[in-house]
Amino acid sequence: MRTEISTAAAFVTRLLRAAGGVGEEQLRCFRECLQEAMHEHYKHHWFPLVPSKGSGYRCIRINHKMDPLIGKAAGMIGLSHERLFQLLPSELTLWVDPFEVSYRIGEDGSICVLYESPQPGGKVAKQLESRTSCKEEWRIGRSSPSKSYNMMTVSS
């Protein structure tokens, strides 16, 4: 859980840093406060054996309403909800699940994976933060690459 929470908090912190106007010490404090809030919020809603269970509860969402966990962490550094709405995307969904952290900016945006690890017994966990595709696509304003899905077609 710590890796997933750390990845998610780092991502939101990077969004704030990219928007500008928030000092490094404030960003560090924000990240720590967000991690603590997430850990407390998720501690009884983390199911590694069934990763999708509780996904809606763990989802961080900004959509005309500020996510309470982000709002709480921002309040600790003196940022109002109004200021957060100026700094963060107006529509952001961040899924924090066992073995995967992914996000979508905008209702029609593609889903981008920030962190992915096979369930126990698989390969070593890998952080995808260093991949430039999702981050760079976001920076230059294009949709991020979507997850690949196998499609089955039915013909008569």
Side-chain angles (χ1 to χ4, degrees), residues 60-77:
I60 291 179
R61 186 93 169 99
I62 299 172
N63 185 9
H64 310 294
K65 230 174 103 174
M66 184 53 59
D67 183 88
L69 296 178
I70 292 176
K72 180 180 180 179
M76 298 298 284
I77 64 166

Side-chain angles (χ1 to χ4, degrees), residues 32-116:
E32 288 175 6
C33 290
L34 182 57
Q35 285 178 247
E36 287 175 26
M38 292 170 74
H39 188 269
E40 185 64 27
H41 190 68
Y42 297 169
K43 70 181 176 184
H44 299 296
H45 298 272
W46 194 261
F47 309 99
L49 298 177
V50 186
S52 61
K53 181 178 179 181
S55 185
Y57 182 85
R58 293 185 305 271
C59 180
I60 291 179
R61 186 93 169 99
I62 299 172
N63 185 9
H64 310 294
K65 230 174 103 174
M66 184 53 59
D67 183 88
L69 296 178
I70 292 176
K72 180 180 180 179
M76 298 298 284
I77 64 166
L79 283 180
S80 68
H81 284 192
E82 293 76 23
R83 184 69 179 129
L84 279 176
F85 280 119
Q86 294 170 351
L87 296 171
L88 294 173
S90 59
E91 293 183 2
L92 170 68
T93 307
L94 181 61
W95 294 277
V96 184
D97 296 322
F99 315 110
E100 184 174 302
V101 178
S102 54
Y103 73 94
R104 180 183 67 207
I105 294 177
E107 286 300 310
D108 300 320
S110 298
I111 295 172
C112 183
V113 177
L114 294 168
Y115 169 83
E116 187 174 52

